[in-house]
Amino acid sequence: MDLHIAVLAGDGIGGEVVGAGMRVLDAVAVKFGHVIHAEHADVGWAALDKCGQALPEQTRAVCNRNQAILFGAVGLPDRDKTLPLQERPERVALLELRKGLFANLRHIFLPRGLAPRCPLKDEYIAGGIDIMIIRELTGGLYYGQPQGISGQSPNRHAVDTMVYSEMEVRRILRVGFETARKRRRRLLSVDKANILATSQLWRENAIAMGREYPDVQLEHMYVDNASMQLIRRPAEMDVIVTENTFGDILSDEASMLAGSIGMVPSACLGDADSSGKGATPFYEPIHGSAPDIAGKNLANPAGTILTVAMMLRYTFGLQAEAHAIDAAVYAVLDEGRVLTGDLGGKSKCSEMTSAILDRLR
Ligand SMILES: NC(=O)c1ccc[n+]([C@@H]2O[C@H](COP(=O)([O-])OP(=O)(O)OC[C@H]3O[C@@H](n4cnc5c(N)ncnc54)[C@H](O)[C@@H]3O)[C@@H](O)[C@H]2O)c1
């Protein structure tokens, strides 16, 4: 199969971890007989320094004409603060590239070998942690209008609007049910239906859609309780589906359960439009540019390598290839001999990548 991929390394450790991801992707392609067509493009400060734009037109074009985007990270805090908020790389590049991609999937998995790195006691993680969080990405509080601050101090008012259409609620719930069906068939729908109108609409639709999926065990939970249960009984959780703000907070909380922020992959997916294409699916590790360790070959490449596996699974339907990558990463982590500093080891990013490649071949 020919795989056409836009590769946007970005800033800080982006180049190192995306380089690691591409080494693994190339190895998988050789092993399974695929051809990778990778088009590299600048984004973030790498692009600002060259042409004064965090997301140049040429980079957009590269993203539009490829089947998937593999993204590192953008932003450098010391330089970001020299720009107004709306011109900062994270704002410009991420929001633009994710437009139309309404489903954000974050996979939280704790390999056995990393159990000592998980902040929870053994008794809470004995059953293992393997959670897929599905966050709605294009609606809710972050985009609802009106939004802003008005009036004069000390009598100013601030308003944010949480708004969801039934269409938006149903399409993300559908992703939740379908994902649960491919995993352990348990779906936790998180809302605040005792208070919020948007959550009442959410829950009504979750219950109704649940009738179409009698094979999926559906549970409802208020978000405050869910944030507590995520720590108390993570082993019982399979797929969580929730709206934008709740998902933002819960998924960051859950990322700690995987042993390091450098471990968590993610995908942003949408629907095909009438032309059959739609926005290009976007894949990235959840961490940022980590300027404190950038350029030192110290970054944990696992999150990006697992992100490559997600890309193969969701955009290209290559299940065996994705599974081979997951298995190689988890074998290295379970063995615990070649680990980067964030996982308590002394190995370099390139050494951990080589160890994963050895398992893959
Ligand atoms: N999607 C993105 O592009 C994205 C996401 C988050 C933050 N950012 C940007 O990144 C910059 C730095 O943000 P931050 O410091 O808040 O978050 P960060 O994720 O970059 O770093 C937080 C801490 O985690 C460590 N860390 C992160 N990834 C790691 C990895 N793969 N291996 C080992 N350690 C790792 C870092 O060294 C740091 O100590 C900011 O400019 C921020 O805006 C970008």
Side-chain angles (χ1 to χ4, degrees):
M1 185 190 242
D2 286 272
L3 282 62
H4 296 267
I5 298 162
V7 183
L8 276 52
D11 302 320
I13 61 170
E16 295 158 64
V17 293
V18 165
M22 290 305 292
R23 280 177 70 194
V24 170
L25 181 61
D26 287 338
V28 168
V30 169
K31 182 173 170 152
F32 288 87
H34 303 299
V35 181
I36 306 295
H37 305 271
E39 259 196 283
H40 295 257
D42 291 320
V43 69
W45 282 102
L48 270 162
D49 287 340
K50 275 193 196 159
C51 65
Q53 283 179 300
L55 183 64
E57 208 40 61
Q58 195 195 345
T59 300
R60 281 176 202 260
V62 167
C63 292
N64 286 339
R65 67 175 169 250
N66 279 282
Q67 293 167 287
I69 302 166
L70 179 63
F71 189 90
V74 288
L76 297 169
D78 287 347
R79 302 189 67 188
D80 291 349
K81 61 185 178 217
T82 64
L83 295 174
L85 208 56
Q86 63 277 13
E87 288 174 30
R88 293 185 185 173
E90 235 191 311
R91 191 116 177 174
V92 174
L94 286 183
L95 290 192
E96 272 303 305
L97 292 174
R98 287 176 181 164
K99 248 184 204 160
L101 301 172
F102 61 86
N104 180 209
L105 279 62
R106 290 182 167 194
H107 187 207
I108 313 291
F109 182 80
L110 178 67
R112 267 180 297 115
L114 292 188
R117 307 297 305 174
C118 178
L120 299 189
K121 289 182 184 159
D122 287 349
E123 62 199 89
Y124 294 112
I125 59 176
I129 295 176
D130 181 354
I131 306 169
M132 185 67 82
I133 299 188
I134 299 173
R135 165 190 171 196
E136 201 289 327
L137 205 54
T138 54
L141 213 43
Y142 295 175
Y143 297 95
Q145 294 297 327
Q147 182 183 57
I149 301 176
S150 58
Q152 295 296 319
S153 188
N155 294 313
R156 290 188 298 166
H157 287 83
V159 61
D160 293 293
T161 304
M162 192 177 217
V163 56
Y164 268 108
S165 71
E166 199 152 36
M167 180 279 290
E168 290 172 312
V169 169
R170 288 181 63 78
R171 71 180 178 181
I172 192 73
L173 285 169
R174 183 76 65 195
V175 176
F177 280 104
E178 290 293 331
T179 307
R181 199 169 243 182
K182 293 186 193 114
R183 287 172 44 98
R184 303 194 302 280
R185 294 174 184 256
R186 302 185 62 170
L187 181 64
L188 176 63
S189 169
V190 173
D191 61 37
K192 189 72 183 165
N194 51 341
I195 307 277
L196 299 176
T198 44
S199 283
Q200 284 166 13
L201 186 72
W202 181 282
R203 189 170 290 211
E204 274 173 31
N205 277 281
I207 292 169
M209 198 175 285
R211 293 189 202 106
E212 296 174 41
Y213 294 86
D215 53 323
V216 174
Q217 188 188 326
L218 174 65
E219 192 184 346
H220 306 274
M221 204 177 274
Y222 298 140
V223 63
D224 38 356
N225 187 22
S227 69
M228 191 254 284
Q229 300 298 342
L230 204 47
I231 302 299
R232 200 168 148 250
R233 51 179 188 109
E236 289 171 38
M237 297 192 176
D238 177 14
V239 179
I240 297 175
V241 64
T242 191
E243 66 86 41
N244 202 342
T245 310
F246 300 163
D248 193 4
I249 298 167
L250 288 181
S251 63
D252 265 30
E253 180 192 0
S255 71
M256 278 310 295
L257 302 175
S260 161
I261 190 166
M263 289 297 307
V264 184
S266 81
C268 300
L269 309 173
D271 277 338
D273 59 19
S274 51
S275 72
K277 179 145 185 336
T280 311
F282 180 91
Y283 294 88
E284 62 167 346
I286 70 158
H287 61 72
S289 64
D292 51 333
I293 56 167
K296 298 177 182 160
N297 197 11
L298 295 177
N300 179 353
T304 308
I305 294 172
L306 294 168
T307 296
V308 167
M310 277 185 129
M311 180 174 77
L312 293 177
R313 185 170 283 127
Y314 291 111
T315 291
F316 299 102
L318 298 173
Q319 306 300 335
E321 290 82 342
H323 179 74
I325 294 179
D326 287 348
V329 172
Y330 297 140
V332 169
L333 295 167
D334 283 343
E335 188 189 48
R337 217 172 35 82
V338 187
L339 300 177
T340 43
D342 59 311
L343 301 176
K346 290 195 164 50
S347 301
K348 304 280 188 199
C349 175
S350 53
E351 291 166 340
M352 195 161 145
T353 308
S354 297
I356 292 166
L357 285 168
D358 288 345
R359 292 286 185 152
L360 198 59
R361 290 194 180 106

